[in-house]
Amino acid sequence: MEKSIEESKQGESLLLDYKPENTKKLFIESYGCAMNFSDSEIVASILSSNGYNTTQILEEADLVLVNTCSIRDKAEQTIRKRLEKYNAVKRTNPKMKVGVLGCMAERLKSQFLEEEKIVDLVVGPDAYKDLPNLLAEVQEGRDAINVILSKDETYGDISPVRLNSNGVSAFVSITRGCDNMCTFCVVPFTRGRERSREPQSIMKEIQDLWDNGFKEITLLGQNVDSYLWYGGGLKKDFTNASEMQKATAVDFDQLLEMVAVGFPKMRIRFSTSNPQDMRESVLHVIAKHSNMCKHIHLPVQSGSNRILKEMNRLHTREQYMTLIYKIRTIIPDCSVTQDLISGFPTETEEDHQDTLSLMEYVKYSFGYMYAYSERPGTLAERKMEDDVPELTKLRRLQEIVDLQRSHSAIRTQEFVGKTVEVLIEKASKKSDKDWSGRNSQSIVVVFPKENYKIGDFVNVKIMRCTSGTLIGEAVGYSEMN
């Protein structure tokens, strides 16, 4: 089973190619979701053009940046501890400047700068292009802050530097922000309203990745199914667009078609989808193209209609199940994965059982499961009492995790005896004699190295499995090579 916030990547310090003309050193760490790691690549690109080489040695840095996450309390506590560490080093290196980027920056701007005085600059998710100006302010001895949320910033004109990449797979951001005001979520407040990136800039970035040997991309957004390009601006303002803009607009299934046809030898994934916005036309594009991965991450959060309403999720249990039926019918070999929250305010045992029964209906391949954590500034925090006892939350979470583990075992077992296409990403963690990669359904596959190399598409016959991994033997290159 996977986690949406991949623990092994949390706190990675990032390293770029050295530029001899750059004289300053940047230490940058990232925490949180894939969007944060993608944003760090944008920041690194901007600063690389403004005199900074990266370092992985904190003590020698001129500038320390931490790209932050506000989605869970645990993430915020981790970042606070890192800021304490930075400031301890700063006492021995007074020239060092410390900055906070991302969602936590937007949420705790005055606290960090004015009350606690633990950082020199605070930069929100839409203000990274302003970094050179903000750093100039800091060098003059002034605190610097820009957390203004933009109506049109998509960073489509920034070519991201690929940080600590395996050289095989990369994220390509297609939307920013979110219009879905789920009561538990801080994203609309920290990343602003939805806006989409110009299609040609997306295609150009993918072309650059292809030219540099990348074999797989993930189209990334808080809610990719809401993608809508009509010349720029917020999605909510589309109703005011001209007739020409509406006639020439590009939505998500059209973008997927463009990418699939334009790069037939490149694997295409996307994340994250929202049940209320996913259209059947998208499913037909996935089914039509062999390079479209047969995997949909479809967060449900709860199986109870009453709790879904409290969460302001704009879908019902029944609508979600109908969508699952369509996915299974149109893309029979598609894996579906989930996000689930246990112990949301007012959740009863009956609500919890509704979640378990929905899981039984879907039998997800894997999932991202959390006990509810109250986030400051959300509607749930302002209007709802966090009234489910912690022990009850954790017991229900464990029941969800146990059921998911059994369903993951069922889903991996389905592949035993079959041959699957695998993109080799890295050496296996358990044996340097084996390769590790993922199949189209995003399930990890491990097999002996032989003469294959990272970046090869290989057909692998699956001999056995665990609940999260397929184990097999290569039978030759696939047609994607």
Side-chain angles (χ1 to χ4, degrees):
M1 290 187 294
E2 275 186 36
K3 296 179 180 178
S4 57
I5 294 179
E6 198 176 322
E7 300 297 348
S8 64
K9 284 193 169 187
Q10 299 305 299
E12 273 190 356
S13 59
L14 306 171
L15 198 61
L16 313 187
D17 291 338
Y18 177 78
K19 284 187 177 180
E21 67 272 21
N22 288 351
T23 58
K24 292 172 281 191
K25 292 184 178 179
L26 164 70
F27 180 94
I28 181 168
E29 285 185 340
S30 302
Y31 292 85
C33 65
M35 186 66 85
N36 270 13
F37 284 83
S38 177
D39 280 0
S40 288
E41 295 177 345
I42 290 167
V43 169
S45 181
I46 292 167
L47 291 178
S48 177
S49 301
N50 282 272
Y52 284 88
N53 283 317
T54 48
T55 178
Q56 291 187 305
I57 302 170
L58 175 62
E59 289 74 13
E60 69 178 27
D62 299 292
L63 174 63
V64 177
L65 297 176
V66 57
N67 200 344
T68 60
C69 173
S70 265
I71 202 73
R72 287 187 289 168
D73 183 60
K74 180 185 173 186
E76 287 200 0
Q77 296 311 316
T78 300
I79 289 158
R80 282 192 172 279
K81 285 179 184 169
R82 291 304 289 159
L83 288 171
E84 288 173 15
K85 168 69 174 173
Y86 303 156
N87 278 279
V89 174
K90 193 176 178 183
R91 283 192 284 273
T92 63
N93 179 11
K95 288 197 237 173
M96 177 193 284
K97 303 300 179 186
V98 175
V100 173
L101 312 175
C103 295
M104 207 170 158
E106 205 287 328
R107 200 175 76 72
L108 296 175
K109 47 193 177 286
S110 58
Q111 206 167 321
F112 282 155
L113 269 178
E114 295 158 20
E115 295 169 28
E116 300 178 29
K117 301 187 186 301
I118 52 175
V119 297
D120 301 291
L121 73 159
V122 174
V123 190
D126 291 348
Y128 298 142
K129 284 183 186 171
D130 200 27
L131 265 166
N133 297 327
L134 296 171
L135 288 169
E137 288 286 308
V138 169
Q139 292 305 325
E140 294 293 322
R142 295 183 289 272
D143 290 337
I145 182 169
N146 185 343
V147 291
I148 296 168
L149 292 174
S150 169
K151 289 185 177 182
D152 49 23
E153 182 59 82
T154 63
Y155 298 108
D157 58 335
I158 301 288
S159 182
V161 177
R162 301 297 162 183
L163 299 162
N164 290 5
S165 170
N166 57 12
V168 174
S169 56
F171 293 122
V172 175
S173 178
I174 66 167
T175 71
R176 295 183 75 83
C178 186
D179 285 351
N180 296 320
M181 303 295 287
C182 299
T183 57
F184 55 81
C185 186
V186 296
V187 166
F189 307 107
T190 58
R191 287 189 173 269
R193 301 299 295 263
E194 270 176 31
R195 62 270 188 211
S196 298
R197 183 176 165 191
E198 198 268 325
Q200 291 309 316
S201 78
I202 295 169
M203 296 294 282
K204 181 180 181 301
E205 183 174 338
I206 299 170
Q207 183 66 58
D208 289 345
L209 289 166
W210 175 254
D211 292 344
N212 283 287
F214 284 80
K215 302 294 181 69
E216 178 183 275
I217 53 141
T218 299
L219 302 176
L220 196 64
Q222 305 298 150
N223 183 9
V224 289
D225 294 272
S226 281
Y227 178 88
L228 182 65
W229 172 262
Y230 61 96
L234 299 177
K235 184 182 177 182
K236 73 179 182 67
D237 295 334
F238 179 63
T239 52
N240 301 323
S242 69
E243 291 306 312
M244 178 61 76
Q245 285 176 315
K246 289 178 180 177
T248 57
V250 177
D251 60 16
F252 186 50
D253 54 287
Q254 291 170 313
L255 179 69
L256 281 184
E257 182 79 23
M258 285 171 62
V259 176
V261 171
F263 301 94
K265 294 294 185 181
M266 188 173 245
R267 247 195 200 175
I268 300 147
R269 302 185 184 276
F270 57 85
S271 184
T272 295
S273 290
N274 192 298
Q276 76 201 44
D277 297 308
M278 176 164 265
R279 296 183 301 278
E280 189 175 318
S281 53
V282 168
L283 305 180
H284 288 291
V285 175
I286 297 169
K288 176 180 171 185
H289 296 285
S290 59
N291 60 332
M292 285 292 316
C293 287
K294 307 305 187 266
H295 168 226
I296 297 173
H297 183 59
L298 198 63
V300 66
Q301 307 302 359
S302 174
S304 160
N305 277 336
R306 192 184 68 79
I307 293 296
L308 288 171
K309 191 172 182 180
E310 292 291 325
M311 290 176 165
N312 197 36
R313 300 287 287 174
L314 302 180
H315 63 87
T316 64
R317 171 192 176 93
E318 291 74 24
Q319 288 167 335
Y320 187 90
M321 292 167 78
T322 299
L323 182 53
I324 294 293
Y325 176 79
K326 286 181 180 178
I327 292 170
R328 302 284 189 225
T329 304
I330 297 168
I331 322 167
D333 57 344
C334 190
S335 68
V336 181
T337 55
Q338 47 87 343
D339 287 355
L340 277 167
I341 297 171
S342 75
F344 190 77
T346 77
E347 184 186 72
T348 65
E349 204 58 35
E350 184 181 355
D351 296 322
H352 173 58
Q353 292 302 321
D354 283 347
T355 294
L356 296 179
S357 68
L358 179 74
M359 291 177 70
E360 288 285 9
Y361 174 80
V362 182
K363 291 187 172 59
Y364 296 100
S365 295
F366 49 88
Y368 312 136
M369 298 149 286
Y370 308 108
Y372 174 69
S373 168
E374 190 174 75
R375 306 310 300 125
T378 61
L379 195 64
E381 185 261 343
R382 295 200 307 271
K383 300 286 182 70
M384 301 176 190
E385 182 186 350
D386 187 4
D387 60 353
V388 179
E390 195 65 22
L391 287 176
T392 303
K393 286 182 190 176
L394 295 176
R395 188 259 303 163
R396 290 175 184 168
L397 176 61
Q398 192 58 54
E399 290 177 9
I400 290 169
V401 169
D402 290 345
L403 185 57
Q404 181 57 61
R405 190 173 287 117
S406 68
H407 290 163
S408 295
I410 291 168
R411 291 303 184 194
T412 53
Q413 185 65 41
E414 290 172 343
F415 288 96
V416 174
K418 294 180 180 177
T419 298
V420 300
E421 181 187 81
V422 180
L423 173 59
I424 301 174
E425 296 176 358
K426 58 188 176 183
S428 167
K429 287 180 184 177
K430 294 191 175 176
S431 170
D432 59 6
K433 295 179 181 177
D434 292 336
W435 286 127
S436 174
R438 287 178 297 162
N439 66 357
S440 178
Q441 290 76 14
S442 203
I443 298 171
V444 173
V445 183
V446 174
F447 61 96
K449 283 185 173 179
E450 299 183 37
N451 294 318
Y452 300 105
K453 64 185 186 300
I454 289 174
D456 285 344
F457 286 100
V458 181
N459 289 324
V460 178
K461 183 166 184 182
I462 305 305
M463 317 302 285
R464 57 194 176 90
C465 67
T466 67
S467 64
T469 306
L470 303 174
I471 300 151
E473 295 176 0
V475 294
Y477 293 102
S478 87
E479 293 179 358
M480 283 286 282
N481 276 298

